[in-house]
């Protein structure tokens, strides 16, 4: 970008008074006044020559630490400005960084005199309140001549990215499928119920001969060995309602940010507990594999203009395989959508989180939706802030998860009864 040259207030005043003195001196015939006028008029142009090319001699760098931060936490931005010339100084340097509106006002610093090869560091903190992907920069550097008459400014460098992930809260650990707690992951025995009901496999080179199952070996005509207990991962699903019309006004205290934060907390908890997670919105399935991947994806999730939630519910219902835990994080839904949702996830624990400050027409609709889900066996949580989630989550899923996963380990399963609201 080309440099932008402007007169400072001092330079403009000198030029104006110089012109007045020059004209007045010519009118009254006073050479002294004319001389003063000529001096004042010529000072600003001469001062501009002293900063010619000064901006191009300035080099800079920007470092954002960390480049990925949770909403409500600080990130430090360090800007380094240096004079690349080995011989020429730069008289008066100032810098200001360009920030998006959600990150606050632009920081401005006066670096001052920079000698040849001199370097100065300035830093500032940003605390983003709302998740998103932000660009910091470009940097605007300004140079003023020693008399303060002329200022030359220029935008330099490329912006630096800052990814702000949703704020999360720690949630209690879910019950293990085998009823034991403290293991890294649940375990299911696949060796059968003793010697009367073995589920062996073929012998492989290196297998311990003490594991040979002789009854099956005689039956199949080849060496068969017992299977060991194998770790298995539970399947869970999360449905997040991101519809624009379902949530209230945007902002840090908006219901959409609460819903995203709740969904992020639940997803991180489930992945940390060893669950295979399917994450859905009304627009379809979101591919996630790690907690960091979930947070990064939710950081840039925008509200959708989809009118209904049935598409997301259908995607959730079409998921194959058993699901031990289904969590729906919802804005304002109608009873018909709640009825469709209530028929999904049968056989596992089902929890619905309703944002109380979403775009509900009235509290009566919220109550009817809660009743529809609770009657179908869903455990309903109504909250206005993510900080309310941990105790409600423990109450809704603490004792029920182990019981549900124990049911899925058997061949027969049944629909759970009505859960607490």
């Amino acid at each position: 970008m080309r440099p932008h040259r402007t007169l400072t207030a001092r330079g403009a005043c000198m030029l104006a008074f110089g012109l007045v003195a020059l004209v007045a001196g010519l009118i009254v015939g006073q050479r002294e006044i004319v001389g003063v006028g000529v001096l004042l008029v010529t000072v600003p142009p001469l001062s501009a020559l002293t900063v010619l090319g000064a901006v191009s001699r300035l080099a800079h760098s920007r470092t954002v630490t960390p480049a990925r931060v949770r909403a409500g936490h600080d990130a430090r931005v360090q800007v380094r400005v240096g004079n690349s010339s080995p011989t020429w100084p730069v008289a008066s340097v100032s810098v200001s960084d360009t920030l998006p509106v959600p990150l606050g006002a632009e920081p401005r610093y006066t670096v001052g005199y920079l000698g040849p090869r001199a370097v100065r560091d300035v830093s500032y903190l940003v605390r983003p309140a709302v998740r998103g992907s932000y660009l910091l920069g470009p940097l605007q550097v300004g140079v003023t001549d020693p008399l303060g008459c002329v200022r030359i400014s220029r935008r330099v460098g490329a912006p630096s990215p800052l990814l702000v992930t949703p704020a999360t809260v720690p949630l209690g650990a879910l019950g293990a499928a085998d009823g034991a707690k403290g293991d890294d992951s649940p375990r299911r025995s696949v060796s059968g119920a003793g010697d009367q009901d073995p589920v062996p496999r073929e012998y492989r080179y290196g297998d311990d001969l003490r594991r040979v199952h002789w009854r099956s070996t005689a039956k199949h005509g080849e060496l068969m060995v017992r299977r060991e207990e194998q770790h298995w991962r539970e399947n869970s699903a999360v449905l997040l309602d991101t519809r624009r019309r379902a949530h209230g006004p945007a902002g840090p205290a908006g219901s959409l940010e609460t819903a995203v934060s709740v969904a992020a907390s639940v997803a991180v908890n489930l992945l940390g507990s060893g669950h295979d997670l399917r994450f859905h919105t009304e627009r379809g399935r979101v591919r996630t594999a790690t907690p960091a991947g979930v947070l990064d994806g939710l950081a840039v999730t925008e509200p959708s203009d989809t009118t209904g939630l049935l598409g997301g519910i259908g995607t959730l219902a079409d998921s194959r395989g058993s699901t031990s835990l289904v969590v729906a994080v919802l804005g304002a839904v109608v009873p018909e959508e709640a009825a469709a949702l209530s028929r999904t996830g049968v056989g596992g624990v089902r929890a619905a989180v309703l944002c109380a400050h979403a775009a509900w027409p009235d509290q009566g609709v919220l109550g009817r939706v809660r009743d529809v889900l609770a009657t179908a066996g869903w455990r309903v949580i109504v909250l206005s802030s993510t900080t309310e989630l941990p105790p409600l989550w423990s109450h809704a899923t603490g004792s029920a998860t182990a019981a549900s996963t124990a049911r899925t380990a058997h061949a027969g399963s049944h629909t759970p009864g009505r859960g607490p609201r």
Side-chain angles (χ1 to χ4, degrees):
M1 184 178 294
R2 298 182 61 182
H4 180 64
R5 299 174 177 85
T6 57
L7 284 174
T8 64
R10 179 183 299 178
C13 290
M14 292 180 68
L15 189 59
F17 285 127
L19 291 174
V20 171
L22 181 60
V23 173
L26 291 174
I27 292 175
V28 300
Q30 293 291 327
R31 294 181 178 179
E32 294 80 1
I33 299 178
V34 173
V36 172
V38 171
L39 176 63
L40 293 176
V41 169
T42 56
V43 166
L46 292 176
S47 297
L49 294 177
T50 64
V51 292
L52 190 64
V55 173
S56 62
R57 296 197 296 269
L58 294 177
H60 89 288
S61 65
R62 183 193 298 102
T63 304
V64 183
T65 308
R68 178 181 178 273
V69 66
R70 284 194 300 166
H73 289 68
D74 291 334
R76 179 172 294 277
V77 183
Q78 181 171 342
V79 178
R80 173 166 292 182
V81 181
N83 181 6
S84 62
S85 173
T87 55
W88 297 100
V90 181
S92 179
V93 180
S94 61
V95 297
S96 63
D97 216 354
T98 306
L99 295 183
V101 173
L103 298 187
E106 296 182 353
R108 301 175 183 273
Y109 297 94
T110 299
V111 178
Y113 176 85
L114 279 180
R117 300 295 189 186
V119 175
R120 297 287 188 278
D121 289 333
V122 296
S123 65
Y124 61 92
L125 295 177
V126 293
R127 179 175 291 182
V130 182
R131 64 189 172 83
S133 180
Y134 301 100
L135 293 178
L136 313 183
L139 187 72
Q140 179 165 314
V141 296
V143 177
T144 307
D145 69 281
L147 297 179
C149 296
V150 179
R151 175 181 173 83
I152 301 179
S153 60
R154 182 181 183 182
R155 292 186 180 273
V156 296
S160 301
L162 173 64
L163 183 66
V164 182
T165 60
T168 58
V169 293
L171 302 178
L174 300 174
D178 59 357
K181 296 183 180 180
D183 293 335
D184 292 337
S185 62
R187 293 201 290 182
R188 172 186 293 172
S189 174
V190 294
S191 60
D195 290 343
Q196 301 301 321
D197 186 21
V199 185
R201 61 167 174 82
E202 295 180 358
Y203 173 84
R204 301 190 187 102
Y205 179 78
D207 284 339
D208 190 347
L209 291 177
R210 289 174 296 182
R211 292 172 47 215
V212 173
H213 192 274
W214 297 108
R215 188 189 300 272
S216 298
T217 297
K219 179 179 179 180
H220 291 86
E222 57 182 332
L223 278 178
M224 305 291 290
V225 296
R226 294 185 178 89
R227 296 177 186 266
E228 295 177 338
E229 284 190 335
Q230 297 178 347
H231 289 274
W232 68 291
R233 295 169 65 90
E234 294 188 61
N235 293 315
S236 298
V238 173
L239 173 63
L240 172 62
D241 182 3
T242 64
R243 295 172 299 151
R244 193 187 309 273
R245 63 182 299 177
H247 294 279
S255 63
L256 177 60
E257 297 307 315
T258 300
V260 172
S261 182
V262 168
S265 301
V266 172
V268 169
N269 177 263
L270 294 177
L271 289 171
S273 300
H275 286 231
D276 281 330
L277 178 66
R278 300 191 306 275
F279 200 104
H280 303 265
T281 69
E282 70 281 353
R283 288 169 285 191
R285 183 172 178 179
V286 179
R287 296 190 179 278
T288 55
T290 63
V294 172
L295 294 177
D296 291 350
L298 291 178
V300 295
T301 297
E302 297 291 338
S304 74
D305 294 323
T306 305
T307 57
L309 192 61
L310 295 180
I313 296 174
T315 305
L316 189 64
D318 292 340
S319 301
R320 297 181 179 179
S322 60
T323 303
S324 59
L325 178 63
V326 177
V327 181
V329 184
L330 307 174
V333 298
V334 297
E336 292 76 14
E337 293 169 335
L341 179 63
S342 67
R343 293 187 290 270
T344 64
V346 176
V349 177
R350 298 175 293 172
V353 181
L354 305 180
C355 296
H357 56 308
W360 298 98
D362 54 63
Q363 292 301 311
V365 176
L366 173 59
R368 289 197 297 274
V369 168
R370 181 182 57 194
D371 291 340
V372 168
L373 293 173
T375 302
W378 285 69
R379 298 172 180 268
V380 183
I381 298 172
V382 181
L383 50 73
S384 299
S385 172
T386 311
T387 57
E388 303 171 12
L389 180 63
L392 299 175
W393 173 261
S394 299
H395 175 73
T397 64
S399 61
T401 307
S404 173
T405 51
R407 286 195 298 267
T408 60
H410 294 80
S413 63
H414 64 279
T415 302
R418 178 170 177 170
R421 298 181 184 179

